[in-house]
Amino acid sequence: MLSEMTSYYDIDDILAEEEVESGSKVELPFWLAQELHLRQVAVMALPSCFNQRTRLEIQADAAFVDLRSRCQFFYEFGCKIAPLVGDRTIGSWLLSTLKSRYKEVLTKAHSAVFAASSKYLALLSKEETKMYEAAQSSMTAFKKWRMGGPRFQRASFLSRKRKSTE
């Protein structure tokens, strides 16, 4: 049973099972495509989530482009795929995309009501969703601090009386 499981994950066994004609285009999971590319068995093409159409949509109005439906881990995947596809513009494009969406993410996190925010969250990548949730948590903690509670807390060791040295 154990030997069957180890061969299940062996790339050479996977390749031996499937014969693909030279020049064929197939969709593969990233981990497999990356390994095949590194072994110089296959050439990676730019995924559709980073194509020219997506770039033009983001240039037009970055804040309202649905990145989640294109790729849940948009920025992370972009960073991993950039060196493999040979497109030197992906890194700077990802940075400018994040910069242009960052302000909108924080603004919505600090001011949006729940009904509106759930619609907006559906557009965000996983990385942006984490950023949104961190901003909301930060704003909630700030409001709680501002509205009440002790402003300063005295350290417990300061309230103890000192022993006299005489």
Side-chain angles (χ1 to χ4, degrees):
M1 181 69 175
L2 183 60
S3 65
E4 289 176 17
M5 283 303 273
T6 56
S7 67
Y8 178 79
Y9 293 106
D10 185 31
I11 291 177
D12 293 321
D13 286 347
I14 294 170
L15 293 175
E17 286 179 19
E18 296 293 324
E19 277 297 316
V20 179
E21 290 184 31
S22 180
S24 298
K25 290 184 178 183
V26 293
E27 287 190 23
L28 300 171
F30 176 69
W31 65 268
L32 180 58
Q34 180 183 26
E35 188 62 34
L36 293 175
H37 179 78
L38 294 174
R39 291 182 181 204
Q40 298 178 345
V41 174
V43 177
M44 271 194 184
L46 189 65
S48 61
C49 57
F50 302 112
N51 65 14
Q52 194 61 31
R53 180 175 175 222
T54 302
R55 291 179 186 218
L56 291 173
E57 286 178 28
I58 288 174
Q59 284 176 346
D61 192 3
F64 297 100
V65 174
D66 184 0
L67 290 184
R68 180 170 291 192
S69 68
R70 290 187 168 102
C71 180
Q72 286 188 5
F73 295 94
F74 185 76
Y75 300 100
E76 182 179 352
F77 184 53
C79 289
K80 287 181 178 180
I81 199 112
L84 301 174
V85 295
D87 188 341
R88 296 182 184 265
T89 63
I90 291 178
S92 59
W93 176 66
L94 287 172
L95 181 60
S96 68
T97 301
L98 181 61
K99 283 180 180 178
S100 60
R101 291 171 65 92
Y102 181 77
K103 182 179 178 184
E104 189 69 25
V105 169
L106 293 184
T107 301
K108 294 276 190 199
H110 290 167
S111 61
V113 293
F114 183 73
S117 68
S118 62
K119 276 185 181 179
Y120 182 68
L121 279 172
L123 304 175
L124 303 179
S125 69
K126 292 288 187 179
E127 300 95 344
E128 291 169 336
T129 301
K130 286 181 181 179
M131 195 168 44
Y132 179 92
E133 290 168 352
Q136 268 197 330
S137 173
S138 175
M139 182 54 83
T140 302
F142 173 73
K143 285 179 179 177
K144 183 178 176 183
W145 172 83
R146 188 172 170 212
M147 298 308 277
R151 298 281 185 192
F152 298 102
Q153 292 182 347
R154 178 170 243 139
S156 61
F157 70 89
L158 292 177
S159 61
R160 287 187 250 144
K161 294 188 177 190
R162 296 185 191 177
K163 295 181 181 178
S164 65
T165 56
E166 294 179 13

